[in-house]
Amino acid sequence: MPEKIRLSNVDDPELRAALRALTSVDRLMRMKPAQDLERVYGRTPTLKALRAALTDARAALVDGLKPDTTGLALINDARRRLRLRFVPTLQPTLNATGIVIHPHLGRAVLSEAAEKAIVEAASHYITLEYDLNEGRRASRLRHAEALLKEITGAEAALIVNNNAAAGLLALSALAKGREVIVSRGQLVEVSGGFNIPRLMRQCRAQLVEVGATNRTRIGDYERGITRQTAALMRVHNTNFRLVGAAEAAPLEQMARLAHGHGLWCFDDLGSGALLDTAALGLVHEPTVQESIAAEADLTWFSGDKLLGGPQCGILVGRSELIDKLRRHPLIRALRADKLTIAALTATLDHYRRGEANTHIPIWRIMSRRVPDLQRTVERWLLILKARVPDLNADITPTRSTVNGGVLMSETLPSVALAVQVNEPDSLLMRLRRLELPIIARIEEDKVLFDPRTVFEHQEQALIDGICAALVASDM
Ligand SMILES: *Cc1c(COP(=O)(O)O)cnc(C)c1O
């Protein structure tokens, strides 16, 4: 804060006159442009911004500068301050990275039906826990959980906040004070320090590591069983891959072994695909249905990865186990809220109708083929060249990443618009500063725009944004 300036301490008569002539906050507030600001930003923030503009003008005068001290100039200054202060931190972006499930851009984008379900659930009283026939309370598990049973064939299901919460609940409720056997090849760290050994400790379950990093056979699990064992657990490697001499005991064998000893078999599936990714030319991702067919007793996965729904964790499996989870005190802290339930129910409805491929955005995005992407980029290039004559750009083959933030993620063939500029990093920055920020990436010193993750309704904004960012840059 600049020190308060006292007129009595100012010697220079000219400066004294200038300071005395400076307008006041009250006078500024009576001007129409200030009243407009008040309507947009509220009275207190507007007063604060005007006061700050006046303080700075006063300090500039004292410093011997000649600031514009007209009312309009001061209000414009206040407007700049208010704009900066009110820039939302959470805003839509245009994802031109080609990363389908982008961990920093909110993972899966929801379907139109899921969006509508969220809006309706948010703005109405809804039958979350109310039976219209009986006119009384009903279970909130009738919605998404009922659909999950229908789609996957599971006996029971439960929705919590995310997959980490699913693991926390399952292990706390079913393995506290007991042993859980996990292959040394599956002690996965997801991100942010969330890993299986820490989760086990948090749940007061004893982790028993068996096998070797690259190889764990069913006999290794068998030798790990003691009187303290509660379960055998598989953790799916969603973010790394063992190549070369690698082997993991199949889930069926683990389940059979577990059941033969009166134990449970758990499966942390991670991504939780309900459809076969091999149909898109990707590596086959184990599906929820396969986990159930292998007779895992409890399987959990994320709702906002390959399922294409809202952030949540989904547990499916035997009724006996799901019932224990429902009765556990943690469930009250971990259960999903009504907006999540609404969005997930609408997302699952696409699977029930057999329209997931065409209606769920991430599946539609992953299904896009190169010729279709090529046509899109050609269209962009044509329009851009007409608008920016000295544009240095071409079309280049590239690969879109399915799971962002994951080094060994699966990729899909794509083509991208490649723009060459002197300073690609500063172009990326200008793209990020647009009203609808564009997130792109650099490959071989070119700025790449992958059409796979750009929605049709965003194309105009993309072209306008690229033009604006290029014009402001040194090409
Ligand atoms: C992604 C993932 C998690 C964490 O899921 P969140 O939904 O982010 O909590 C846990 N385990 C595995 C195997 C995962 O892939």
Side-chain angles (χ1 to χ4, degrees):
M1 272 307 262
E3 265 176 65
K4 205 161 166 116
I5 296 147
R6 278 167 208 241
L7 273 183
S8 51
N9 292 347
V10 176
D11 304 329
D12 180 358
E14 206 173 311
L15 176 57
R16 283 175 74 127
L19 286 171
R20 205 175 280 120
L22 205 55
T23 184
S24 67
V25 172
D26 288 340
R27 252 179 284 154
L28 289 173
M29 279 301 267
R30 281 196 292 274
M31 291 175 68
K32 174 146 187 323
Q35 285 162 8
D36 291 342
L37 289 184
E38 185 184 341
R39 252 192 306 283
V40 176
Y41 297 105
R43 182 166 179 85
T44 307
T46 303
L47 280 171
K48 210 172 146 190
L50 289 171
R51 255 182 227 123
L54 274 168
T55 303
D56 277 8
R58 212 170 281 127
L61 285 173
V62 172
D63 286 346
L65 305 171
K66 297 266 173 286
D68 187 349
T69 53
T70 58
L72 266 185
L74 291 164
I75 291 171
N76 281 339
D77 184 8
R79 182 180 297 112
R80 267 193 301 279
R81 290 165 194 269
L82 286 164
R83 271 207 193 121
L84 270 180
R85 203 178 141 207
F86 279 82
V87 168
T89 49
L90 189 62
Q91 54 176 323
T93 67
L94 211 156
N95 175 10
T97 62
I99 299 171
V100 183
I101 301 169
H102 200 302
H104 308 144
L105 298 179
R107 291 199 189 162
V109 170
L110 298 181
S111 72
E112 271 174 43
E115 176 193 335
K116 184 159 170 271
I118 287 183
V119 172
E120 276 176 354
S123 54
H124 294 78
Y125 291 105
I126 51 166
T127 56
L128 182 66
E129 294 183 359
Y130 189 78
D131 183 325
L132 289 172
N133 281 326
E134 307 287 331
R136 59 183 157 90
R137 188 179 176 181
S139 166
R140 62 163 66 199
L141 304 175
R142 295 166 302 145
H143 316 294
E145 278 90 347
L147 271 174
L148 277 163
K149 290 196 308 191
E150 187 183 330
I151 294 162
T152 65
E155 277 180 24
L158 188 62
I159 313 301
V160 291
N161 277 325
N162 52 28
N163 196 38
L168 180 71
L169 179 62
L171 294 169
S172 300
L174 305 172
K176 187 173 170 193
R178 316 245 333 251
E179 294 174 357
V180 178
I181 306 178
V182 184
S183 157
R184 289 202 168 85
Q186 298 177 359
L187 298 174
V188 180
E189 165 148 340
V190 180
S191 67
F194 179 81
N195 63 33
I196 295 296
R198 289 184 75 180
L199 176 65
M200 291 274 181
R201 270 200 299 282
Q202 180 64 40
C203 301
R204 306 271 183 275
Q206 182 67 44
L207 169 65
V208 175
E209 303 174 22
V210 295
T213 304
N214 59 326
R215 248 194 200 125
T216 304
R217 300 182 180 86
I218 194 67
D220 297 320
Y221 287 98
E222 189 155 21
R223 279 187 293 280
I225 295 174
T226 71
R227 294 170 52 142
Q228 295 307 312
T229 308
L232 274 52
M233 175 168 156
R234 174 177 82 162
V235 184
H236 178 51
N237 310 337
T238 39
N239 59 358
F240 74 103
R241 213 173 299 149
L242 284 174
V243 290
E247 184 183 335
L251 190 65
E252 292 86 353
Q253 287 185 14
M254 290 174 62
R256 208 173 310 130
L257 177 65
H259 298 157
H261 285 78
L263 308 172
W264 292 315
C265 177
F266 298 157
D267 190 16
D268 180 353
L269 259 186
S271 290
L274 290 174
L275 297 178
D276 186 5
T277 47
L280 303 173
L282 295 166
V283 161
H284 173 74
E285 177 79 17
T287 64
V288 179
Q289 295 90 324
E290 283 162 5
S291 181
I292 291 162
E295 298 200 21
D297 300 285
L298 197 60
T299 297
W300 56 87
F301 49 96
S302 298
D304 53 347
K305 291 181 183 169
L306 283 172
L307 193 118
Q311 178 196 303
C312 63
I314 299 170
L315 296 124
V316 294
R318 299 206 358 240
S319 307
E320 182 201 339
L321 301 196
I322 297 279
D323 280 345
K324 282 184 202 282
L325 303 188
R326 275 184 203 149
R327 287 195 302 268
H328 193 275
L330 267 180
I331 188 63
R332 188 75 194 188
L334 301 180
R335 66 179 188 176
D337 80 305
K338 64 180 179 179
L339 302 186
T340 303
I341 291 172
L344 181 63
T345 306
T347 305
L348 292 169
D349 193 51
H350 294 306
Y351 287 95
R352 171 163 67 175
R353 291 167 190 270
E355 61 182 31
N357 255 325
T358 50
H359 285 64
I360 294 180
I362 64 152
W363 281 89
R364 206 168 51 224
I365 289 168
M366 289 192 295
S367 308
R368 291 186 73 181
R369 304 278 175 194
V370 169
D372 156 41
L373 298 165
Q374 174 88 24
R375 274 192 299 278
T376 304
V377 185
E378 279 169 7
R379 191 168 62 240
W380 294 357
L381 187 58
L382 212 66
I383 303 173
L384 279 170
K385 281 210 158 138
R387 285 177 57 179
V388 187
D390 45 354
L391 177 74
N392 188 356
D394 54 12
I395 295 172
T396 179
T398 185
R399 299 197 68 91
S400 314
T401 305
V402 172
N403 222 333
V406 171
L407 206 62
M408 290 296 287
S409 171
E410 282 291 299
T411 57
L412 290 158
S414 188
V415 284
L417 172 74
V419 175
Q420 205 157 0
V421 288
N422 290 333
E423 289 172 31
D425 280 316
S426 69
L427 178 57
L428 280 195
M429 189 193 66
R430 271 189 305 278
L431 289 163
R432 289 197 304 269
R433 285 184 180 171
L434 293 165
E435 195 158 273
L436 178 60
I438 297 174
I439 318 295
R441 68 178 208 270
I442 297 175
E443 231 175 71
E444 291 173 2
D445 284 337
K446 291 177 178 176
V447 177
L448 258 52
F449 301 86
D450 187 331
R452 186 180 288 281
T453 45
V454 176
F455 298 110
E456 216 172 301
H457 71 266
Q458 296 179 317
E459 279 189 21
Q460 191 60 49
L462 179 83
I463 306 249
D464 291 345
I466 295 175
C467 287
L470 276 174
V471 165
S473 86
D474 162 30
M475 297 201 309

